[in-house]
Amino acid sequence: MTDSPVWHPFTQHATEPSPPRVTRTEGATIHTDRGPLIDAISSWWVITHGHRHPPIMDAIRATAERLDQVIFAGLTHDPAEDLARALVDLAPAGLTRVFYSDSGSTSVEVALKMALGFWKHTAPGRPRHRIAVLEGSYHGDTIGTMSVGERGVFNAAYDPLLFAVDRLPLGADTLAAFETVAASGELAALIVEPLVLGAGGMVMYPPELLAALRAVCDRHGVLLIADEVMTGWGRTGRLWACDHAGIAPDILCTSKGLTGGAIPLAATLATEAIFAAHWSEDRSRTFFHSSSYTANPIACAAGLANARIWQAEDMQARLDRVAAMQADRLEALAGDRRFANPRQTGTIAALDLRTEGAGYLAAAGQQLRARALDRGVFLRPLGSTVYVLPPYCISGDELDRVWGVVADFAG
Ligand SMILES: *Cc1c(COP(=O)(O)O)cnc(C)c1O
């Protein structure tokens, strides 16, 4: 037993050593009481530009001089209004409405509620309520988001509370399976992580499949929800993963990189049709959702500072630089028989350790994590899947040190 009262996320306190204590962050570095660490996974995929990116910290500081949390029902403020306009400007075409919340999970819960509300209000006689999902997906850790995510060791204890969904295999059969399910006329929505299934093991699929799923949705009137919580803000090499496929979803979820990762905020973007379905003299058609911290002004100001960077700076060049560096490092390990399935989408690179025990609880990944820590690198393999998902400010030398740890790992 440890002395600390803190119960850490996804942490088995009986077996894991006590963690280093973080004292300061800067760029791609996390400084701790045991020395500096290179943040090779962007602090669980949130940090985009780098830790404490100056314009974002400036916006937080300036806004805190005049605003803190204010109720967002019956009141509004500039940071929320300005960020919403910027998001509509940056998002795939047709997403014209912005609903704020405070985490990726809540942005997905909001998306599911919007989809069911849409059908309840537009087809009251026979509202659609089923949700289709891709096998291996992750959408959060609340009851609703676990329901639409992959079932396994993570959520076995809660399974009796999870609602049923239609699961589509990911691969050659995806489209045919989706056609069949969609033709039932009972699907409210399909929810996907576009191009990269993150927590499911950095499983990647081509933009063509995403575009084809959009087409099936259109044919059968099924709403498409893109959970861009991880893939958004450049991770896949474009601002949105949907941009690779040239498609727009009906609902888009964003969080993680929305504030550059500095402070919690989420938004669920919807089409005019979905907003219009809730627009009525009849108050029972109100969208009944709120978080206490909806549209926190300081968080919105951080989001706006981030959005301005995407509007004004050559982010594409930065993403291309990281993608090219990642490709080089991955290429160097391509023929190495200790690793399988090297893969990359934009700034995200992954490969699998060839070990006996597969699955999330595989020991090799844990060993690699410990080895990396000893060498000043923070990695967190997903079972036997090793991935590097760095902030975009990472240098070539830092990336070499990260991949050096992976290359030296005997398994
Ligand atoms: C991280 C993640 C979530 C959940 O976000 P939280 O902020 O942790 O609640 C949802 N969907 C995807 C795809 C994610 O990667």
Side-chain angles (χ1 to χ4, degrees):
M1 296 287 162
T2 62
D3 291 337
S4 168
V6 175
W7 193 340
H8 287 270
F10 270 66
T11 297
Q12 179 43 265
H13 282 270
T15 55
E16 290 190 28
S18 68
R21 198 167 284 235
V22 177
T23 51
R24 201 164 58 83
T25 57
E26 186 167 24
T29 306
I30 302 171
H31 294 276
T32 80
D33 58 353
R34 298 179 209 168
L37 298 170
I38 300 171
D39 190 353
I41 64 160
S42 297
S43 281
W44 246 346
W45 321 345
V46 301
I47 301 295
T48 50
H49 310 289
H51 284 279
R52 288 195 304 114
H53 194 56
I56 293 173
M57 302 318 279
D58 288 347
I60 290 173
R61 224 174 276 120
T63 308
E65 287 295 328
R66 59 190 177 87
L67 284 168
D68 63 357
Q69 181 65 35
V70 286
I71 181 172
F72 203 59
L75 292 176
T76 194
H77 47 73
D78 283 347
E81 295 287 339
D82 295 346
L83 174 57
R85 280 179 207 290
L87 288 174
V88 169
D89 171 48
L90 290 169
L95 295 165
T96 52
R97 300 288 168 172
V98 178
F99 191 95
Y100 290 110
S101 60
D102 46 22
S103 74
S105 300
T106 47
S107 76
V108 172
E109 296 278 0
V110 164
L112 296 172
K113 287 174 69 171
M114 282 178 177
L116 264 72
F118 172 84
W119 288 107
K120 173 82 176 152
H121 303 320
T122 58
R126 211 165 157 270
R128 299 182 179 196
H129 61 268
R130 289 192 70 84
I131 307 288
V133 307
L134 293 177
E135 229 170 53
S137 298
Y138 175 82
H139 297 289
D141 282 331
T142 57
I143 296 292
T145 58
M146 283 191 295
S147 296
V148 294
E150 185 68 8
R151 307 296 168 86
V153 64
F154 314 100
N155 44 43
Y158 329 113
D159 194 64
L161 294 186
L162 305 186
F163 58 78
V165 297
D166 294 294
R167 276 171 212 288
L168 311 176
L170 185 59
D173 302 335
T174 309
L175 280 180
F178 186 41
E179 272 287 352
T180 307
V181 177
S184 71
E186 292 180 356
L187 274 190
L190 166 69
I191 181 168
V192 298
E193 294 166 87
L195 303 198
V196 185
L197 279 58
M202 298 297 161
V203 175
M204 300 176 183
Y205 63 90
E208 292 73 26
L209 177 57
L210 182 60
L213 288 169
R214 170 75 267 186
V216 176
C217 283
D218 288 341
R219 262 204 307 289
H220 296 282
V222 175
L223 299 175
L224 177 63
I225 302 172
D227 176 354
E228 293 246 19
V229 170
M230 187 280 277
T231 52
W233 303 107
R235 290 296 177 200
T236 67
R238 305 281 293 270
L239 171 50
W240 308 106
C242 285
D243 294 341
H244 290 275
I247 62 128
D250 300 284
I251 303 176
L252 181 145
C253 305
T254 178
S255 186
K256 294 198 169 121
L258 172 54
T259 62
I263 188 169
L265 183 68
T268 307
L269 278 65
T271 59
E272 205 58 22
I274 291 168
F275 181 76
H278 294 81
W279 170 282
S280 171
E281 300 285 310
D282 175 359
R283 292 187 61 203
S284 72
R285 284 170 64 161
T286 304
F287 186 56
F288 292 111
H289 192 94
S290 164
S291 316
S292 300
Y293 288 104
T294 301
N296 177 273
I298 298 167
C300 286
L304 182 61
N306 172 54
R308 293 287 182 247
I309 292 168
W310 283 90
Q311 287 173 321
E313 298 180 20
D314 188 359
M315 283 305 300
Q316 192 59 51
R318 277 179 231 170
L319 302 181
D320 293 345
R321 183 191 73 99
V322 177
M325 291 197 302
Q326 289 274 66
D328 283 348
R329 275 59 175 187
L330 207 53
E331 173 70 30
L333 295 177
D336 194 318
R337 295 191 47 81
R338 294 170 304 161
F339 306 111
N341 308 322
R343 55 196 181 275
Q344 180 181 3
T345 300
T347 72
I348 308 169
L351 38 72
D352 301 327
L353 299 172
R354 287 190 202 273
T355 59
E356 317 88 78
Y360 181 80
L361 302 180
Q366 299 256 23
Q367 288 159 9
L368 174 54
R369 197 208 304 180
R371 195 79 54 85
L373 206 57
D374 288 341
R375 291 179 52 177
V377 172
F378 194 91
L379 281 171
R380 197 180 161 94
L382 292 154
S384 50
T385 296
V386 181
Y387 68 92
V388 178
L389 190 156
Y392 311 145
C393 65
I394 196 162
S395 69
D397 287 348
E398 287 167 325
L399 206 53
D400 280 336
R401 284 186 52 204
V402 171
W403 282 104
V405 169
V406 178
D408 292 348
F409 183 66

